[in-house]
Amino acid sequence: MARIRAVSLDFYNTVVRFEPRREQIQAAACAEFDITVDTNAVLRAYPAADQFLSEENGKLPLSRRTPEDVRELWGRYEMLLLAGAGVTVDLELASRIFERVWETRQGFAMFPDVVPSLQALREKGYSIGVVTNYEGGLAQTLLDLGIAEFMSFAVTSEEIGVAKPNPEIFEEALKRAGAGADEVVHVGDQPLADVQGPAGVGILPVLLDRDGVFEGYKDARVISSLEELPDLLDRLNAEWTS
């Protein structure tokens, strides 16, 4: 392994979360259909639902699907999510619930560990970027959040037409970072999109498990906060020099 020079970050659930929290939005949407769900159960159901979405995104990004296909995909996502939380609904009802979720006014809240971690990484000389399936105008969002100054590169599925875990998005990130695969660490919250995806092109993955839902995970190094990342990189680079 070469010395690590660059760090790529996933965006959602790594840099930002929805405000209100997505499990709260889900519970409120379900309540409109007289369905009661436990927010903690929903939270723990997200990994399986998110993996399904990553698999589908890797086949064909949502931006390239028909409106009818997108509606069905989100309905299937909602069915899987609610099933994981102990609630069974059919596809049509799931689609209606998700439409209500989508209509709910949402904003982004940045995690409090982000800016201190970005500052620490920059002080240590790392190049920092974002690799994400976010399709909402990332450049402006980073400016609005006040963290664009930290970013040296960014790659979005919206821009290049493929989504994580497709290797092309990570290969493009390497080009923009100006680094070899063994010089880059990718950090994100999803095992398929953010571990298997980057690992497939030789990038070292780090799983960010903010909610403690991946207990015992063995396929990558795991951190619970971005504030752990600078010390982890120091240890990895110390191994390189020893």
Side-chain angles (χ1 to χ4, degrees), residues 36-91:
T36 300
V37 294
D38 178 79
T39 54
N40 288 327
V42 173
L43 184 64
R44 295 196 168 273
Y46 270 116
D50 287 343
Q51 175 145 329
F52 162 76
L53 184 60
S54 292
E55 290 169 351
E56 290 297 321
N57 245 328
K59 297 173 188 175
L60 185 68
L62 271 65
S63 60
R64 294 171 58 190
R65 297 179 186 239
T66 66
E68 295 77 16
D69 286 346
V70 170
R71 184 179 191 272
E72 180 179 343
L73 176 61
W74 281 120
R76 291 165 61 198
Y77 174 92
E78 186 73 23
M79 283 181 68
L80 184 59
L81 177 66
L82 293 180
V87 176
T88 301
V89 296
D90 62 26
L91 179 59

Side-chain angles (χ1 to χ4, degrees), residues 56 125 150 156 172 205 207 236:
E56 290 297 321
F150 293 102
T156 69
E172 182 63 25
L207 182 68
L236 292 172

Side-chain angles (χ1 to χ4, degrees), residues 162-179:
V162 298
K164 298 184 298 181
N166 191 303
E168 292 181 36
I169 196 168
F170 293 103
E171 290 166 351
E172 182 63 25
L174 292 176
K175 293 177 185 177
R176 297 188 186 187

Side-chain angles (χ1 to χ4, degrees), residues 190-209:
Q190 294 188 29
L192 179 58
D194 297 309
V195 173
Q196 295 179 38
V201 300
I203 295 172
L204 182 68
V206 174
L207 182 68
L208 177 60
D209 185 13

Side-chain angles (χ1 to χ4, degrees), residues 57-180:
N57 245 328
K59 297 173 188 175
L60 185 68
L62 271 65
S63 60
R64 294 171 58 190
R65 297 179 186 239
T66 66
E68 295 77 16
D69 286 346
V70 170
R71 184 179 191 272
E72 180 179 343
L73 176 61
W74 281 120
R76 291 165 61 198
Y77 174 92
E78 186 73 23
M79 283 181 68
L80 184 59
L81 177 66
L82 293 180
V87 176
T88 301
V89 296
D90 62 26
L91 179 59
E92 179 56 31
L93 179 54
S95 298
R96 291 170 61 200
I97 293 170
F98 187 82
E99 286 170 353
R100 189 66 194 96
V101 168
W102 193 257
E103 291 166 359
T104 302
R105 188 175 182 86
Q106 300 172 7
F108 284 134
M110 191 161 57
F111 290 103
D113 60 358
V114 171
V115 171
S117 302
L118 293 177
Q119 290 173 333
L121 291 170
R122 183 168 64 179
E123 289 169 3
K124 290 176 178 290
Y126 293 106
S127 175
I128 309 167
V130 176
V131 180
T132 177
N133 292 343
Y134 175 58
E135 297 185 347
L138 180 66
Q140 185 60 52
T141 301
L142 293 175
L143 284 169
D144 292 344
L145 292 169
I147 58 173
E149 64 176 293
F150 293 102
M151 303 304 172
S152 300
F153 61 95
V155 186
T156 69
S157 60
E158 182 178 37
E159 175 188 8
I160 67 170
V162 298
K164 298 184 298 181
N166 191 303
E168 292 181 36
I169 196 168
F170 293 103
E171 290 166 351
E172 182 63 25
L174 292 176
K175 293 177 185 177
R176 297 188 186 187

